[in-house]
């Protein structure tokens, strides 16, 4: 997009909203600049983006006519690819959440704060030893 279109949009916005740039120059009390300079600059940036977005179809038509190239199939393909990448990103986010949940379960088991897994395993081993001794006639008496 030609820069002159963006500049024209910014100039139009400035003219409609009381003129004046956002230079912030000048002194007030204590040598401070315009307190609204940053806000005005942000508004000009927003307007420039709006103007460039609104002018894009006209700009593409101008390019198509000027270069005798039909860019519409490329534009459509890029839009379709963008939609597919968005869908793929959502699937990847779901998969990463599943992996996080599985990893969290492993983590909680590994650090077993109540020693429940250790105690259960120790009880099972003790029961197996006692059962083996009882079979051999060496049970507790």
């Amino acid at each position: 997009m030609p820069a002159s279109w963006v500049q024209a949009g910014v100039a139009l916005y400035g003219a409609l909203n009381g003129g004046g740039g956002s230079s912030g120059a000048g002194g007030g009390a204590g040598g401070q600049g315009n307190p609204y300079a940053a806000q005005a600059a942000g508004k000009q940036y927003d307007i420039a983006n709006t103007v460039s977005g609104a002018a894009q179809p006209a700009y593409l038509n101008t390019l198509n006519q000027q270069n005798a190239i039909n860019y519409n199939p490329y534009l459509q393909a890029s839009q379709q690819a963008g939609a597919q990448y968005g869908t793929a990103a959502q699937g990847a986010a779901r998969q990463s959440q599943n992996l996080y949940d599985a990893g969290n379960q492993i983590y909680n088991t590994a650090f077993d704060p109540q020693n429940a897994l250790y105690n259960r395993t120790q009880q099972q081993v003790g029961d197996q030893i006692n059962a083996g001794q009882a079979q051999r006639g060496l049970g507790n008496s």
Side-chain angles (χ1 to χ4, degrees):
M1 164 152 328
S4 60
W5 290 7
V6 173
Q7 291 170 349
V10 171
L12 176 63
Y13 175 76
L16 292 175
N17 290 307
S22 61
S23 64
Q32 294 176 353
N34 183 352
Y36 301 107
Q39 183 179 4
K43 290 290 185 186
Q44 287 179 350
Y45 178 77
D46 292 342
I47 291 297
N49 283 337
T50 302
V51 169
S52 66
Q56 185 177 9
Y59 180 66
L60 286 177
N61 287 337
T62 303
L63 272 180
N64 288 345
Q65 293 167 357
Q66 190 176 37
N67 298 330
I69 298 174
N70 185 6
Y71 289 101
N72 289 329
Y74 302 113
L75 181 61
Q76 290 171 356
S78 66
Q79 289 170 342
Q80 289 173 354
Q84 291 175 356
Y85 285 135
T87 302
Q90 290 172 352
R94 284 191 300 273
Q95 185 64 24
S96 67
Q97 183 62 44
N98 293 341
L99 291 173
Y100 174 79
D101 292 341
N104 202 20
Q105 288 177 351
I106 293 169
Y107 176 80
N108 289 334
T109 301
F111 288 102
D112 191 19
Q114 289 88 24
N115 286 332
L117 181 61
Y118 174 78
N119 292 337
R120 187 184 75 202
T121 305
Q122 186 179 23
Q123 182 66 39
Q124 287 175 346
V125 169
D127 290 345
Q128 288 173 351
I129 291 171
N130 289 338
Q133 288 178 345
Q135 285 178 345
R136 290 189 302 272
L138 301 173
N140 295 336
S141 56

